[in-house]
Amino acid sequence: MKGKKIEMLCIVAVLLLSFFLTERLQKPETHTFYSLNSGWYQIKDGEKIHIELPCYVMTDADGKIVLYNDTLSEKDQGNFISARGVQDHLQIWLGDRVLYRYKENKFQKNKQMKGKIWADVCLPEKTGEKTLSFMFEGSPNSSLYIQAPLIGSFLDIVKSHLWESVFSILMIIGMLGMGIVSVIVFLYTRHRQIIEKRFLNVAFFLILCSLWSILDSGIYQMYGKQNAVGTQLSFYAFMLMSIPMLHFVRNTVSEGVRWIPKIWIFLLYGDAVVQGVINYLFKVPFICMLYITHIILFTGVVAMILLLWKEYQKKRTQELKFCLKAFAVLGIGGVIAIILYRVFSIYWYDVIFQFGILLYISFLFGGLLCKVSNEIQFHLEQTVFERMSVEDRMTGLKNRKAFEKCMEEVQEDAILLKNALLLFIHIDGLKEINDMNGMQMGDEAVIRTARSIQAAGKSLEPNAESFRIDGNEFAVVVTNPQKMPGEWIRIIINDVKKENSSRYCVQLKFGYSYLRSKDGVLHSVSDWKMQADTMLRFNTGKSVGDAYDL
């Protein structure tokens, strides 16, 4: 009921929040946000050449481009202008005042990394009175693609950047979500006594991928307070994130070929250490050594695909088939990303790689879940079989096999036990009941007796174990007993009396023994059993081992 009340409160809260958000969206916007496409011009030979952005613009003999715009007004003061082109040495001027010039921080970036960054600057006073100018640098007499800048409030500019990065953000959320799912599945399978470390390999891989994607993103590069430190961490995450998946392959292939992925594991660790040492001692930027990591990753993926292919040819399992497809997808995505990065210097190469990672993990999950589901089914069947092998089907009590196992456990722990009680119960005259009233009545007598023994155990000793060790014989084992045997006998007899048939009477005989004598001497298990059996079989007089006519 508490859960239902909490759920109702959550529903009400969501509805109210949706209402207020809808009301806010319906209100007219008080700020301006627009793309500055028109009003741009170049000056060549003293003449204005008007340009509509975005478009390709040719550089001059010095490799420079200067674009002017006179359309800003006083209303734009205090707004932000956001422009692409940092990779082309963008400078933003208002008259003779520099508003933006890229400054390299302690971590040097290459052209592809700069291409993710927007130049965001606040338009100062005198905006509208002086000419806005953009300056770019490239190769002499080459064309540069110039995008139209955005003008609006800081919040609008940030929203625009987030919207542009929405696909990458979704990829990161997807990777984090699948990483959490991997951990949950690992914990669940471990609870079911199935240790599948590969789910942890997947989780660590996705966490490192997410870390790399976040710290390498343009959003972090623009607004992160410690973006130099973040960029360095992203490089290390990129260099090391394949290691968990190499462990994944090691946990998938045969024992004899596990040395192959181990080679690339040490290569990646060595690459990370060596690059760090070279950077620290000789100040060589990481971006100048990045091609080494690309080579190791490329050769590693190819080697893992070939290794999985050979394993699949031998075993032909569904699990290996999924793994092979996954690494093929990862390899294709990685090659495309490297080509975009190295050959075309395209800054959104990471989105392709992130999408490939999600497809890769999806295939791996398919293979892993198939394997785990089969193992869970096998364990369930094995558990049922084991339970049936130690259970008496008629009464639901444990059988003689379980009784002998219990005796072995008592023997192993005998020194640690304060004492233990063994109680034998024998149905006397069961054959006569079967002969006179039929097998069904005899079975009823057995079931009724078993039910009475179970009820006595629940009320007297919760840790008692009950067994049917023969057709008409039962046993009860109680470690560190709190109740006397007479109490067991009294409760069992009274319970059987309640259900006694008018057509026949059930006679019960009892025998018991303690593992330790009154003076604390420890008996052997065989002597312990023999004493209880002797009391049961050869009891005389009015002891508790006598036959009781119910």
Side-chain angles (χ1 to χ4, degrees), residues 14 74 118 158 160 170 251 289 292 440 449 463 493 514:
V14 170
E74 293 182 0
W118 288 75
V158 173
S160 175
L170 291 175
N251 293 327
M289 300 180 282
I292 300 173
Q440 185 177 353
T449 304
N463 63 328
I493 291 173
Y514 283 99

Side-chain angles (χ1 to χ4, degrees), residues 324-381:
L324 185 59
K325 287 182 178 180
F327 272 87
V329 168
L330 182 67
I332 293 170
V335 168
I336 293 174
I338 289 175
I339 291 173
L340 293 175
Y341 183 90
R342 286 284 173 190
V343 179
F344 298 103
S345 298
I346 293 176
Y347 61 86
W348 43 265
Y349 64 90
D350 56 336
V351 177
I352 301 295
F353 191 48
Q354 290 165 2
F355 184 67
I357 287 171
L358 279 183
L359 287 179
Y360 163 68
I361 293 300
S362 299
F363 277 111
L364 284 185
F365 254 88
L368 277 180
L369 291 177
C370 283
K371 179 178 181 295
V372 168
S373 62
N374 291 335
E375 288 188 2
I376 289 175
Q377 183 178 357
F378 173 76
H379 277 263
L380 287 174
E381 291 174 354

Side-chain angles (χ1 to χ4, degrees), residues 121-283:
V121 292
C122 183
L123 293 171
E125 295 180 1
K126 298 186 179 180
T127 298
E129 299 177 13
K130 296 184 177 182
T131 301
L132 178 71
S133 59
F134 280 16
M135 297 182 184
F136 302 89
E137 291 183 22
S139 301
N141 300 314
S142 63
S143 63
L144 296 180
Y145 185 71
I146 310 298
Q147 297 189 44
L150 303 175
I151 295 180
S153 67
F154 177 74
L155 185 60
D156 286 329
I157 295 296
V158 173
K159 285 180 180 178
S160 175
H161 297 336
L162 289 173
W163 180 250
E164 187 184 62
S165 306
V166 65
F167 188 76
S168 182
I169 292 171
L170 291 175
M171 294 297 103
I172 294 170
I173 293 172
M175 286 188 284
L176 286 173
M178 294 183 76
I180 294 170
V181 170
S182 299
V183 174
I184 293 172
V185 174
F186 170 77
L187 294 174
Y188 171 74
T189 52
R190 191 178 69 171
H191 175 70
R192 301 303 297 265
Q193 307 301 319
I194 301 172
I195 307 300
E196 183 52 84
K197 293 181 180 179
R198 289 179 295 178
F199 282 111
L200 279 186
N201 298 147
V202 170
F204 286 129
F205 171 69
L206 290 171
I207 290 170
L208 286 173
C209 286
S210 303
L211 182 65
W212 165 70
S213 300
I214 293 169
L215 298 178
D216 193 54
S217 66
I219 299 295
Y220 181 82
Q221 295 299 320
M222 286 186 291
Y223 304 119
K225 292 183 179 180
Q226 298 290 335
N227 53 35
V229 175
T231 307
Q232 183 169 307
L233 289 175
S234 76
F235 260 71
Y236 269 98
F238 180 74
M239 286 189 280
L240 299 176
M241 68 183 181
S242 299
I243 291 175
M245 297 322 298
L246 290 169
H247 282 292
F248 182 99
V249 176
R250 288 190 72 241
N251 293 327
T252 302
V253 298
S254 303
E255 185 74 31
V257 292
R258 289 182 179 177
W259 59 272
I260 297 176
K262 203 167 186 178
I263 291 174
W264 270 269
I265 290 173
F266 285 116
L267 281 174
L268 288 169
Y269 278 125
D271 177 50
V273 172
V274 170
Q275 287 197 33
V277 171
I278 292 174
N279 177 265
Y280 182 80
L281 295 178
F282 305 105
K283 308 301 180 184

Side-chain angles (χ1 to χ4, degrees), residues 35 80 105 196 305 337 415 441 445 530:
S35 178
F80 276 73
N105 58 27
E196 183 52 84
I305 291 173
I415 298 177
M441 292 298 174
M530 186 178 65

